Amino acid sequence: MAEAPPISLDGLRAGCSFAALPRGFYARVDPRPLRAPRLLHANPDAAALLGLDADALRSPEFLALCSGAGRLADMTPLATAYSGHQFGVWAGQLGDGRAHLLGDVRTPEGVWEIQLKGSGRTPFSRMGDGWAVLRSSVREYLASEAMAGLGIPTTRALALVASDDPVVRETVETAAVVTRLAPSFVRFGHFEHWGHSHHEQKALLDYVVDHWYPECRETSGGETDAPATACRLLTEVTRRTARLIAQWQLAGFCHGVMNTDNMSILGLTLDYGPYGFMDAFQANHICNHSDTAGRYAWNAQPAVARWNLYRLAGSLLVLGCEASALESCLAPFEAEFLAAYRDGLARKLGLDAWRPDDAALEDDWWSLLHAQRADFTLAFRRLADADRDAGPWLDLFPDPAPARAWLDRYLARRAGQGGDADARRAAMSRANPVYVLRNHLAQRAIEAAQRGDASEIDRLLTLLRDPYAERPGSDFYARPPAADEPAVPVSCSS
Ligand code: AMP
Ligand code: MG
């Protein structure tokens, strides 16, 4: 079959830096287009990153590109090979089983890779069908932008395309494709894949360092010193990952499947599946019904990230790195995590800085929320005004006496630091979102989308793009689900 002629989209051209890696890194494979695709939603914020305007998003070429039917000039779609540890166990080769890297677009602000997810089988599909259902695609689309709105590093979502193509999961659902953007989709798992091949691991190291971590390159005698460069890279990835997880913790975000193949080498949140933003706080909250042991519970995320970094470190031994040197690259994790976490928590609590004796106040804060299953997001948000009127905040606690006792200690601590109350209140409002992508809100958007109605997606994106700004008439979106509303079960099925 003759290759389809390239489409033109506002002069967008796509190269593909990944394709310069040796052959075993990827397989060239075209997406399988959705039948009778419908553009359910296009995201102007992500489009702006590529320099695409509203007209381009309405064009048939855009729909063709985002449904897997079109290709840009110079574009050669491919699926990449990676491996990984899933739920703590070595899973061997995985790879892009339902994702196609279309290419990368150069913009004045940097390079963006364009990737389709749910676009058909690849040589890495194993037993999978290559599809993604609308339900999980809406969740990925919304979560990417919710995280971006919170200022948390993440892949982005450009478009959501739906079709009536049937996809069999627990029931028969319909297919969709999400177009994702990221500077790079390289995962820890790409390094694990080449953990026994010096030549390929060196090529991957050079590739990642050249493009995203040039400051990590170490040379000796004019040549790259691979072990030293790998150590610098690992140190930097350790730092970024630690800061990322601190931000997750402070947003009440649970990733749900922190397998090493879902960990970004750039420290981005990657692969939104059975994630969750907590409603009622529970320290050991498990958002993924498939995670029966709670490996990826909220309070386990920092330790799991560190465990994953150890797997990444292990894959670098093949470059001739000393195990002890790699281990010392991982050492900054705890300090980096704690610094970011405490700094963020201080801002959320309206404290001028984190002081060592704030630890007891912090411990008691989480214990209080946990004991009473108080709403994570509202408990922070309403604290800003609790000095003027404690009522709305106290309403979050079924037993107000211990909450009142904590509040008095907290207000005393805050009063001790002085400062302008209005400025403090405003700063707290910029640190504590009103709106997060609660499961029941995502579920409403999914059910509407399944009826062909994208208005809830649009509404949520509007709120989540700036989740700190309270919008009149949107109270419903700030509230947790009603007590008698059954919880939305979220699993690995996607
Ligand atoms: P995930 O749990 O979604 O991060 O996926 C783990 C691995 O399974 C990756 O290699 C995916 O590409 C692959 N995978 C997941 N779902 C499918 C599917 N429906 N078809 C093909 N591969 C899949
Ligand atoms: Mg994945």
Side-chain angles (χ1 to χ4, degrees):
M1 201 174 75
E3 200 174 56
I7 59 175
S8 168
L9 198 63
D10 272 9
L12 217 61
R13 301 180 79 82
C16 188
S17 67
F18 199 92
L21 284 162
R23 272 310 286 213
F25 276 85
Y26 59 88
R28 289 208 188 278
V29 52
D30 284 331
R32 189 173 138 188
L34 292 177
R35 279 182 298 183
R38 299 182 299 274
L39 182 65
L40 204 54
H41 206 270
N43 177 10
D45 295 350
L49 300 172
L50 302 182
L52 293 178
D53 61 19
D55 285 341
L57 302 188
R58 282 191 290 267
S59 67
E61 289 81 5
F62 184 75
L63 175 61
L65 185 76
C66 298
S67 62
R71 61 181 188 89
L72 298 171
D74 300 334
M75 198 175 93
T76 47
L78 53 84
T80 74
Y82 57 81
S83 293
H85 284 80
Q86 298 185 316
F87 290 91
V89 179
W90 175 243
Q93 179 177 303
L94 301 164
D96 295 325
R98 52 171 170 172
H100 293 78
L101 179 60
L102 298 185
D104 46 49
V105 172
R106 257 144 244 283
T107 74
E109 283 74 42
V111 175
W112 289 96
E113 287 189 349
I114 308 180
Q115 193 197 58
L116 303 183
K117 181 169 175 181
S119 40
R121 287 181 58 84
T122 77
F124 308 106
S125 297
R126 297 173 297 144
M127 307 296 280
D129 56 12
W131 302 125
V133 296
L134 179 60
R135 163 177 54 83
S136 67
S137 304
V138 170
R139 286 175 52 85
E140 168 125 26
Y141 188 79
L142 290 172
S144 311
E145 297 311 295
M147 293 297 260
L150 288 166
I152 301 179
T154 177
T155 62
R156 301 296 299 268
L158 175 65
L160 176 62
V161 175
S163 148
D164 292 332
D165 282 334
V167 178
V168 180
R169 296 292 180 260
E170 284 80 3
T171 60
V172 180
E173 302 185 48
T174 57
V177 169
V178 176
T179 305
R180 306 196 286 192
L181 305 178
S184 169
F185 287 93
V186 170
R187 302 148 189 268
F188 290 11
H190 283 97
F191 281 89
E192 290 178 280
H193 190 66
W194 300 110
H196 298 284
S197 318
H198 178 273
H199 175 73
E200 280 84 359
Q201 196 68 303
K202 172 74 170 41
L204 182 56
L205 176 73
D206 281 337
Y207 172 70
V208 167
V209 168
D210 272 353
H211 287 84
W212 298 285
Y213 291 95
E215 70 283 6
C216 291
R217 186 170 299 285
E218 295 279 347
T219 54
S220 81
E223 297 280 302
T224 294
D225 178 337
T229 303
C231 277
R232 290 275 312 269
L233 174 68
L234 181 62
T235 305
E236 196 46 41
V237 176
T238 297
R239 291 213 173 98
R240 284 201 201 183
T241 305
R243 291 196 292 264
L244 175 72
I245 308 301
Q247 286 186 278
W248 287 3
Q249 299 306 94
L250 294 171
F253 175 80
C254 301
H255 182 284
V257 209
M258 285 178 72
N259 295 335
T260 55
D261 53 300
N262 291 335
M263 299 290 293
S264 152
I265 204 74
L266 299 185
L268 308 173
T269 314
L270 171 64
D271 278 9
Y272 294 93
Y275 66 83
F277 288 87
M278 260 189 270
D279 297 307
F281 178 71
Q282 194 178 353
N284 53 350
H285 175 72
I286 305 166
C287 62
N288 175 3
H289 278 226
S290 313
D291 180 13
T292 43
R295 179 177 175 83
Y296 299 138
W298 179 82
N299 58 358
Q301 294 188 126
V304 167
R306 200 162 175 279
W307 190 91
N308 290 345
L309 284 159
Y310 265 85
R311 306 287 80 72
L312 174 64
S315 78
L316 301 174
L317 285 166
V318 72
L319 294 169
C321 306
E322 295 289 338
S324 58
L326 291 171
E327 198 151 11
S328 51
C329 301
L330 300 171
F333 183 89
E334 191 178 349
E336 196 78 28
F337 171 80
L338 283 177
Y341 168 79
R342 286 174 175 159
D343 183 56
L345 193 58
R347 278 188 296 116
K348 285 175 81 69
L349 294 176
L351 306 179
D352 49 359
W354 182 266
R355 299 186 199 150
D357 55 3
D358 289 329
L361 198 64
E362 180 209 337
D363 283 350
D364 295 342
W365 166 251
W366 294 126
S367 301
L368 174 71
L369 263 58
H370 179 90
Q372 304 213 29
R373 298 291 189 269
D375 185 77
F376 185 102
T377 303
L378 294 180
F380 278 106
R381 179 78 186 186
R382 293 188 184 169
L383 214 41
D385 270 328
D387 52 345
R388 288 197 293 215
D389 175 9
W393 183 80
L394 283 171
D395 284 346
L396 300 169
F397 299 89
D399 176 8
R404 179 85 246 178
W406 183 88
L407 186 66
D408 289 343
R409 279 165 64 204
Y410 161 74
L411 291 177
R413 157 69 177 87
R414 222 174 58 185
Q417 74 193 14
D420 176 60
D422 287 336
R424 191 259 314 144
R425 232 171 253 127
M428 286 180 77
S429 313
R430 286 192 301 275
N432 294 305
V434 192
Y435 310 108
V436 293
L437 183 58
R438 300 172 185 271
N439 270 340
H440 74 287
L441 299 178
Q443 190 59 29
R444 266 167 64 100
I446 289 166
E447 287 166 17
Q450 287 167 338
R451 299 188 301 268
D453 171 3
S455 61
E456 274 300 301
I457 294 177
D458 202 61
R459 181 87 189 253
L460 281 174
L461 281 189
T462 304
L463 297 176
L464 296 171
R465 146 181 318 135
D466 181 8
Y468 303 101
E470 212 159 324
R471 316 271 179 143
S474 298
D475 291 359
F476 171 80
Y477 295 89
R479 283 200 295 264
D484 56 356
E485 205 173 311
V488 179
V490 177
S491 73
C492 279
S493 154
S494 62

